[in-house]
């Protein structure tokens, strides 16, 4: 489509890749088994053929929040896309882990997104306390990784919006607006849980005095404070995307001397002497300082995101580093010489 071509051109211009999620290629939006659904699949195949081998496309996201009775329909487009463009993938976006589990057992899966918003605005809709919200996200992202086949990439799709949705007179999907620190914290929790990437919805806010939906862009197209906050985070993380995509989680939480300090060890797939640590402040209200104990001696520690050598103190069978993180923020450390 013309719109897809324009989006592809913008991504090429800025050296980016994208995963098209075009509405008219979205076969879930059509009645199961209908002629309209068949035509949506044909449109998808034509676009895949058109962009075959083009590195600007990272996958074709035609599955979002799929209901269980649509799982059987996933096989045909999966096989067809692989036939047209070998090595290409259909990333799936799930809002129900039960559906993800069913798909993961039946079909090849390389990339899966978990669409999960933890910051509710009403206790009957979901968790509202800061600790409960963070715990809910942590559990969901770890379950996502546990359900995927080995080698598949888990991606988090956390919350950036405020929403007051009403359906048939009953309030549902009531989410408060996450603070700037909470926006960043969701990314750190997800990376610490083993996710290979994080993406946020980029919707524009509704018009009117009492909008139902407040997104990352304001109604006039200007950037919201949330968009600016996430831009700062992206400039730190995106340049290290290949590193994050190339590690494997050791599932070893590291010892810290503060409850809100969290640190998780990851190993490099290709170099056993290089390890990484995702460390962050789980408190989204205030700065936290403390120590992280690494289970190695004689290790060189550098801050992968902000640069520079990190002063480390070796002890009996371990190395300790001092850390200081703003509310909801963190970093990634690179450890060299760790066995």
């Amino acid at each position: 489509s013309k719109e897809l071509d324009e989006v592809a051109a913008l991504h090429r211009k800025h050296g980016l890749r994208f995963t098209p999620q075009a509405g008219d290629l979205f076969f879930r939006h059509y009645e199961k088994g209908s002629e309209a659904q068949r035509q949506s699949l044909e449109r998808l195949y034509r676009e895949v053929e058109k962009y075959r081998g083009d590195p600007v496309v990272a996958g074709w996201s035609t599955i979002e929040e799929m209901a269980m009775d649509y799982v059987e329909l996933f096989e045909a487009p999966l096989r067809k896309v692989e036939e047209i463009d070998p090595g290409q993938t259909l990333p799936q976006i799930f809002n129900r882990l039960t559906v993800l589990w069913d798909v993961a057992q039946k079909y090849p899966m390389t990339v899966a997104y978990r669409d999960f918003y933890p910051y509710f605005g009403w206790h009957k809709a979901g968790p509202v306390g800061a600790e409960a919200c963070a715990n809910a996200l942590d559990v969901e992202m770890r379950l996502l990784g546990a359900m995927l086949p080995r080698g598949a990439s888990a991606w988090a799709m956390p919350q950036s919006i405020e929403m007051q949705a009403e359906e048939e007179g009953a309030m549902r999907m009531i989410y408060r607006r996450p603070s700037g620190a909470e926006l960043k914290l969701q990314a750190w929790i997800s990376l610490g849980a083993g996710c290979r990437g994080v993406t946020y919805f980029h919707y524009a806010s509704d018009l009117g005095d009492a909008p139902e939906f407040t997104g990352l862009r304001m109604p006039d197209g200007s950037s919201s404070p949330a968009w600016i906050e996430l831009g700062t985070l992206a400039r730190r993380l995106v340049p290290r995307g290949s590193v994050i995509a190339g590690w494997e989680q050791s599932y070893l939480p590291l010892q810290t001397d503060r409850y809100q300090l969290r640190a998780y060890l990851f190993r490099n797939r290709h170099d056993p002497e290089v390890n990484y640590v995702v460390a962050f402040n789980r408190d989204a209200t205030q700065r936290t300082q403390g120590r992280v104990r690494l289970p190695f001696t004689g290790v060189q520690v550098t801050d992968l995101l902000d640069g520079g050598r990190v002063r480390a103190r070796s002890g009996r069978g371990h190395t300790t580093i001092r850390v200081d993180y703003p509310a909801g923020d963190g970093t990634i450390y690179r450890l060299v010489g760790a066995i």
Side-chain angles (χ1 to χ4, degrees), residues 11 53 58 116 134 171 186 211 231 233 237-238 242 255 262 278 281 284 289 296:
H11 281 76
F116 186 77
M171 293 300 293
Q186 292 176 92
L233 179 65
L237 288 176
V238 170
S242 60
Q255 182 179 349
R262 303 298 167 93
V278 173
N281 174 14
Q289 301 175 335
F296 311 107

Side-chain angles (χ1 to χ4, degrees), residues 64-82:
E64 180 187 2
E65 301 183 355
M66 183 166 50
M68 189 67 80
D69 60 350
Y70 270 67
V71 170
E72 64 189 68
L73 300 177
F74 180 64
E75 183 172 10
L78 176 68
R79 306 296 184 192
K80 187 67 174 179
V81 168
E82 288 180 339

Side-chain angles (χ1 to χ4, degrees), residues 268 271-276 294-302 309 319 334-339:
N268 188 299
D271 189 345
E273 292 193 1
V274 178
N275 288 269
Y276 296 93
L294 311 174
F296 311 107
T297 57
V299 61
Q300 178 180 318
V301 184
T302 56
R309 184 88 172 262
T319 298
R334 184 174 186 264
L335 315 181
V336 178
I339 305 297

Side-chain angles (χ1 to χ4, degrees), residues 199-222:
T199 186
Y200 295 82
F201 276 120
H202 178 188
Y203 287 151
S205 302
D206 287 340
L207 298 171
D209 296 330
E212 177 184 285
F213 187 94
T214 303
L216 291 177
R217 290 288 191 183
M218 304 309 292
D220 63 0
S222 61

Side-chain angles (χ1 to χ4, degrees), residues 23-42:
D24 59 352
L25 309 181
F26 230 43
F27 66 84
R28 185 184 71 89
H29 288 173
Y30 302 96
E31 183 180 352
K32 185 178 178 182
S34 66
E35 175 62 17
Q37 187 180 74
R38 188 193 67 79
Q39 291 178 7
S40 76
L41 288 173
E42 289 300 322

